Amino acid sequence: MKVGCEANFALALAEAAESWQSELREQGLLSCSIFARGSGVFLYFETASECCESEWEWPTTCKQMLETWPGDGGMQRYSVPMLDIYHDGEPEIREARENGGRERIGMLARLKPSKYSSYIFYHYALQEEKPSCFNPTYIIGAYEDLIFSYQERPSPAFEHGATRRKWPAPITPENWHDIMQPHFVPWSENEQGSILWETMDTILSF
């Protein structure tokens, strides 16, 4: 968001929500959650197909308060996709749940550039060896040093899935959190230790 537009952007989004929701649903969007941290805006969409990746547009009043994101050939972009680096559940499991009454949570963290490939490697191994071991709605996306996670609480009551892929020896470490901590650039420190993930504000969901 442009400097000083955070409050006005949230207000404009709320005012346009009903008509925008109708427009997005016509394009195949099933669910939407929008989160903010400072001037950054992060979107989580669930769609019936991949069509919304290129067709959706911000409401005009909101777009006017957004900075453009640099792109090839001077193209003006108001959103950029994130790389899918981890998903705990299969898409059909996420689509089959009942959304009612669940809290939607978006969180943000930063990765050390030197640890980027290691983080992705371990998360790929985890999602293949132990699917649905945490929360079937949990997904992580990455863009440069930022990683964004989405989940719903309470976790849907699905049984843990069968191993998707097997290799000669398990890769996922038992001391998962100890292995993960050195991958992050902390946001801050407190008496309990480093703050690695920050919960974002939800500014719209449907």
Side-chain angles (χ1 to χ4, degrees), residues 99-105 107 134-135 137-138 150-156 199:
N99 268 325
R102 289 200 174 93
E103 180 185 10
R104 303 181 187 187
I105 301 168
M107 302 186 74
F134 167 60
N135 183 326
T137 65
Y138 194 73
Y150 172 88
Q151 64 176 299
E152 295 173 10
R153 295 178 184 167
S155 172
T199 302

mmCIF file of all heavy atoms in Angstrom, residues 99-105 107 134-135 137-138 150-156 199:
data_model
loop_
_atom_site.group_PDB
_atom_site.id
_atom_site.type_symbol
_atom_site.label_atom_id
_atom_site.label_comp_id
_atom_site.label_asym_id
_atom_site.label_seq_id
_atom_site.Cartn_x
_atom_site.Cartn_y
_atom_site.Cartn_z
ATOM 1 N N ASN A 99 -16.342 -24.493 6.050
ATOM 2 C CA ASN A 99 -15.608 -23.303 6.481
ATOM 3 C C ASN A 99 -16.198 -22.644 7.715
ATOM 4 O O ASN A 99 -15.531 -21.900 8.406
ATOM 5 C CB ASN A 99 -15.576 -22.266 5.345
ATOM 6 C CG ASN A 99 -14.329 -22.420 4.482
ATOM 7 O OD1 ASN A 99 -13.262 -22.751 4.979
ATOM 8 N ND2 ASN A 99 -14.483 -22.189 3.193
ATOM 9 N N GLY A 100 -17.475 -22.877 7.963
ATOM 10 C CA GLY A 100 -18.167 -22.125 8.997
ATOM 11 C C GLY A 100 -17.521 -22.199 10.367
ATOM 12 O O GLY A 100 -17.193 -23.270 10.852
ATOM 13 N N GLY A 101 -17.334 -21.027 10.997
ATOM 14 C CA GLY A 101 -16.871 -20.972 12.365
ATOM 15 C C GLY A 101 -15.385 -21.108 12.566
ATOM 16 O O GLY A 101 -14.912 -21.026 13.699
ATOM 17 N N ARG A 102 -14.608 -21.313 11.519
ATOM 18 C CA ARG A 102 -13.173 -21.467 11.675
ATOM 19 C C ARG A 102 -12.466 -20.122 11.536
ATOM 20 O O ARG A 102 -12.822 -19.296 10.715
ATOM 21 C CB ARG A 102 -12.606 -22.445 10.643
ATOM 22 C CG ARG A 102 -13.002 -23.890 10.919
ATOM 23 C CD ARG A 102 -12.060 -24.850 10.205
ATOM 24 N NE ARG A 102 -12.368 -26.213 10.584
ATOM 25 C CZ ARG A 102 -13.199 -26.998 9.901
ATOM 26 N NH1 ARG A 102 -13.781 -26.550 8.830
ATOM 27 N NH2 ARG A 102 -13.444 -28.224 10.311
ATOM 28 N N GLU A 103 -11.443 -19.948 12.351
ATOM 29 C CA GLU A 103 -10.627 -18.744 12.275
ATOM 30 C C GLU A 103 -9.592 -18.914 11.158
ATOM 31 O O GLU A 103 -8.911 -19.926 11.080
ATOM 32 C CB GLU A 103 -9.908 -18.508 13.604
ATOM 33 C CG GLU A 103 -9.034 -17.268 13.617
ATOM 34 C CD GLU A 103 -8.245 -17.125 14.900
ATOM 35 O OE1 GLU A 103 -8.241 -18.091 15.709
ATOM 36 O OE2 GLU A 103 -7.635 -16.063 15.099
ATOM 37 N N ARG A 104 -9.479 -17.914 10.299
ATOM 38 C CA ARG A 104 -8.498 -17.945 9.217
ATOM 39 C C ARG A 104 -7.283 -17.122 9.646
ATOM 40 O O ARG A 104 -7.421 -15.969 10.037
ATOM 41 C CB ARG A 104 -9.093 -17.377 7.936
ATOM 42 C CG ARG A 104 -10.364 -18.106 7.485
ATOM 43 C CD ARG A 104 -10.885 -17.524 6.202
ATOM 44 N NE ARG A 104 -12.168 -18.085 5.836
ATOM 45 C CZ ARG A 104 -12.781 -17.838 4.687
ATOM 46 N NH1 ARG A 104 -12.224 -17.035 3.799
ATOM 47 N NH2 ARG A 104 -13.946 -18.380 4.422
ATOM 48 N N ILE A 105 -6.117 -17.719 9.544
ATOM 49 C CA ILE A 105 -4.913 -17.099 10.095
ATOM 50 C C ILE A 105 -3.841 -16.983 9.022
ATOM 51 O O ILE A 105 -3.488 -17.965 8.359
ATOM 52 C CB ILE A 105 -4.371 -17.921 11.276
ATOM 53 C CG1 ILE A 105 -5.431 -18.033 12.375
ATOM 54 C CG2 ILE A 105 -3.079 -17.310 11.834
ATOM 55 C CD1 ILE A 105 -5.111 -19.050 13.435
ATOM 56 N N MET A 107 0.155 -15.687 8.529
ATOM 57 C CA MET A 107 1.359 -15.355 9.279
ATOM 58 C C MET A 107 2.516 -15.113 8.315
ATOM 59 O O MET A 107 2.531 -15.625 7.190
ATOM 60 C CB MET A 107 1.710 -16.462 10.273
ATOM 61 C CG MET A 107 0.600 -16.769 11.272
ATOM 62 S SD MET A 107 1.088 -17.964 12.552
ATOM 63 C CE MET A 107 2.149 -16.941 13.584
ATOM 64 N N PHE A 134 -0.120 -31.948 10.450
ATOM 65 C CA PHE A 134 -0.269 -30.756 11.286
ATOM 66 C C PHE A 134 -1.660 -30.168 11.170
ATOM 67 O O PHE A 134 -2.428 -30.144 12.116
ATOM 68 C CB PHE A 134 0.798 -29.723 10.889
ATOM 69 C CG PHE A 134 0.567 -28.352 11.451
ATOM 70 C CD1 PHE A 134 0.511 -28.144 12.819
ATOM 71 C CD2 PHE A 134 0.417 -27.262 10.613
ATOM 72 C CE1 PHE A 134 0.291 -26.881 13.340
ATOM 73 C CE2 PHE A 134 0.201 -25.994 11.125
ATOM 74 C CZ PHE A 134 0.141 -25.808 12.489
ATOM 75 N N ASN A 135 -2.012 -29.707 9.989
ATOM 76 C CA ASN A 135 -3.311 -29.086 9.752
ATOM 77 C C ASN A 135 -3.557 -29.159 8.250
ATOM 78 O O ASN A 135 -2.811 -28.559 7.474
ATOM 79 C CB ASN A 135 -3.281 -27.629 10.237
ATOM 80 C CG ASN A 135 -4.614 -26.923 10.085
ATOM 81 O OD1 ASN A 135 -5.360 -27.183 9.149
ATOM 82 N ND2 ASN A 135 -4.914 -26.019 10.997
ATOM 83 N N THR A 137 -5.309 -27.673 6.256
ATOM 84 C CA THR A 137 -5.487 -26.396 5.548
ATOM 85 C C THR A 137 -4.196 -25.596 5.460
ATOM 86 O O THR A 137 -4.176 -24.530 4.857
ATOM 87 C CB THR A 137 -6.547 -25.529 6.252
ATOM 88 O OG1 THR A 137 -6.070 -25.158 7.563
ATOM 89 C CG2 THR A 137 -7.866 -26.259 6.378
ATOM 90 N N TYR A 138 -3.124 -26.091 6.060
ATOM 91 C CA TYR A 138 -1.894 -25.308 6.167
ATOM 92 C C TYR A 138 -1.120 -25.298 4.860
ATOM 93 O O TYR A 138 -0.898 -26.335 4.237
ATOM 94 C CB TYR A 138 -1.013 -25.889 7.273
ATOM 95 C CG TYR A 138 0.124 -24.990 7.699
ATOM 96 C CD1 TYR A 138 -0.105 -23.853 8.459
ATOM 97 C CD2 TYR A 138 1.442 -25.276 7.338
ATOM 98 C CE1 TYR A 138 0.940 -23.030 8.853
ATOM 99 C CE2 TYR A 138 2.483 -24.461 7.734
ATOM 100 C CZ TYR A 138 2.225 -23.336 8.489
ATOM 101 O OH TYR A 138 3.254 -22.521 8.875
ATOM 102 N N TYR A 150 -0.815 -19.856 5.656
ATOM 103 C CA TYR A 150 -2.267 -19.766 5.870
ATOM 104 C C TYR A 150 -2.724 -21.060 6.514
ATOM 105 O O TYR A 150 -2.264 -22.151 6.163
ATOM 106 C CB TYR A 150 -2.999 -19.577 4.538
ATOM 107 C CG TYR A 150 -4.507 -19.682 4.666
ATOM 108 C CD1 TYR A 150 -5.277 -18.562 4.974
ATOM 109 C CD2 TYR A 150 -5.164 -20.901 4.499
ATOM 110 C CE1 TYR A 150 -6.659 -18.650 5.103
ATOM 111 C CE2 TYR A 150 -6.542 -21.004 4.633
ATOM 112 C CZ TYR A 150 -7.280 -19.880 4.933
ATOM 113 O OH TYR A 150 -8.648 -19.977 5.066
ATOM 114 N N GLN A 151 -3.644 -20.915 7.475
ATOM 115 C CA GLN A 151 -4.273 -22.088 8.074
ATOM 116 C C GLN A 151 -5.606 -21.678 8.689
ATOM 117 O O GLN A 151 -5.897 -20.492 8.864
ATOM 118 C CB GLN A 151 -3.381 -22.694 9.156
ATOM 119 C CG GLN A 151 -3.143 -21.778 10.344
ATOM 120 C CD GLN A 151 -2.341 -22.448 11.430
ATOM 121 O OE1 GLN A 151 -2.767 -23.463 11.982
ATOM 122 N NE2 GLN A 151 -1.166 -21.896 11.731
ATOM 123 N N GLU A 152 -6.402 -22.681 8.991
ATOM 124 C CA GLU A 152 -7.670 -22.454 9.674
ATOM 125 C C GLU A 152 -7.669 -23.221 10.988
ATOM 126 O O GLU A 152 -7.176 -24.350 11.059
ATOM 127 C CB GLU A 152 -8.835 -22.910 8.784
ATOM 128 C CG GLU A 152 -8.957 -22.090 7.520
ATOM 129 C CD GLU A 152 -10.004 -22.639 6.571
ATOM 130 O OE1 GLU A 152 -10.764 -23.556 6.977
ATOM 131 O OE2 GLU A 152 -10.077 -22.169 5.421
ATOM 132 N N ARG A 153 -8.206 -22.573 12.021
ATOM 133 C CA ARG A 153 -8.317 -23.190 13.338
ATOM 134 C C ARG A 153 -9.753 -23.122 13.814
ATOM 135 O O ARG A 153 -10.419 -22.112 13.599
ATOM 136 C CB ARG A 153 -7.392 -22.484 14.340
ATOM 137 C CG ARG A 153 -5.904 -22.632 14.041
ATOM 138 C CD ARG A 153 -5.089 -21.870 15.058
ATOM 139 N NE ARG A 153 -3.660 -21.899 14.751
ATOM 140 C CZ ARG A 153 -2.775 -21.114 15.336
ATOM 141 N NH1 ARG A 153 -3.146 -20.251 16.261
ATOM 142 N NH2 ARG A 153 -1.503 -21.175 14.992
ATOM 143 N N PRO A 154 -10.249 -24.145 14.515
ATOM 144 C CA PRO A 154 -9.523 -25.399 14.791
ATOM 145 C C PRO A 154 -9.278 -26.194 13.520
ATOM 146 O O PRO A 154 -9.989 -26.046 12.530
ATOM 147 C CB PRO A 154 -10.465 -26.140 15.740
ATOM 148 C CG PRO A 154 -11.826 -25.611 15.415
ATOM 149 C CD PRO A 154 -11.629 -24.169 15.046
ATOM 150 N N SER A 155 -8.269 -27.041 13.566
ATOM 151 C CA SER A 155 -7.915 -27.837 12.402
ATOM 152 C C SER A 155 -9.052 -28.779 12.041
ATOM 153 O O SER A 155 -9.678 -29.367 12.922
ATOM 154 C CB SER A 155 -6.649 -28.646 12.709
ATOM 155 O OG SER A 155 -6.382 -29.561 11.667
ATOM 156 N N PRO A 156 -9.379 -28.911 10.748
ATOM 157 C CA PRO A 156 -10.402 -29.875 10.349
ATOM 158 C C PRO A 156 -10.056 -31.275 10.835
ATOM 159 O O PRO A 156 -8.888 -31.655 10.897
ATOM 160 C CB PRO A 156 -10.365 -29.801 8.812
ATOM 161 C CG PRO A 156 -9.776 -28.466 8.508
ATOM 162 C CD PRO A 156 -8.802 -28.194 9.609
ATOM 163 N N THR A 199 1.695 -12.909 13.327
ATOM 164 C CA THR A 199 0.314 -13.018 12.853
ATOM 165 C C THR A 199 -0.130 -11.697 12.260
ATOM 166 O O THR A 199 0.040 -10.646 12.881
ATOM 167 C CB THR A 199 -0.622 -13.417 14.005
ATOM 168 O OG1 THR A 199 -0.174 -14.652 14.570
ATOM 169 C CG2 THR A 199 -2.051 -13.564 13.526
#
